[in-house]
Amino acid sequence: MVELVLRRTEADWAWVLRDDPAAATWRTLREAVTLARKDAPASPSDGLHRSMPERPADAALLHEHLGLAPADAAALMGLEEPAVRAHLKAAHRWRADRGPAGPAGAA
């Protein structure tokens, strides 16, 4: 998968340089993982993307599972650090509202 992402990034290099290279590569990697995930068995980090919106899930994956500081996650995602912190709070609220049994108040 990494080879595929690098080849795609290389093929689109002129476009990548006009954008933020790290963020463009992150988007390409996220797209590749999304496609691959459809055929792969579930993993704990998959649960993030299956259960919450994309940006909060990305922020939580990078910060909580991979240990990146919010500033580093922001640089990789092509966002400002306050936006990543907001996505992390959204991810926390999303999980708190749903809990292990699903949406709050669900039977």
Side-chain angles (χ1 to χ4, degrees):
M1 180 178 319
V2 173
E3 186 176 330
L4 170 71
V5 170
L6 292 175
R7 283 186 185 168
R8 184 166 171 201
T9 301
E10 179 183 27
D12 295 333
W13 192 243
W15 176 81
V16 167
L17 290 177
R18 285 190 295 265
D19 193 14
D20 176 348
T25 303
W26 175 253
R27 284 190 300 270
T28 302
L29 179 60
R30 186 178 19 145
E31 291 167 9
V33 168
T34 298
L35 289 173
R37 192 173 54 224
K38 291 177 182 178
D39 297 326
S43 74
S45 57
D46 263 3
L48 291 173
H49 285 87
R50 293 182 196 274
S51 67
M52 72 178 68
E54 182 177 287
R55 290 286 175 110
D58 284 351
L61 176 70
L62 292 171
H63 178 64
E64 297 167 8
H65 292 266
L66 298 179
L68 271 81
D72 295 332
L76 182 59
M77 293 173 70
L79 302 173
E80 297 293 324
E81 184 178 352
V84 168
R85 289 188 181 281
H87 288 309
L88 289 169
K89 286 181 182 178
H92 178 75
R93 282 192 309 272
W94 186 271
R95 288 182 290 221
D97 288 347
R98 280 141 187 89

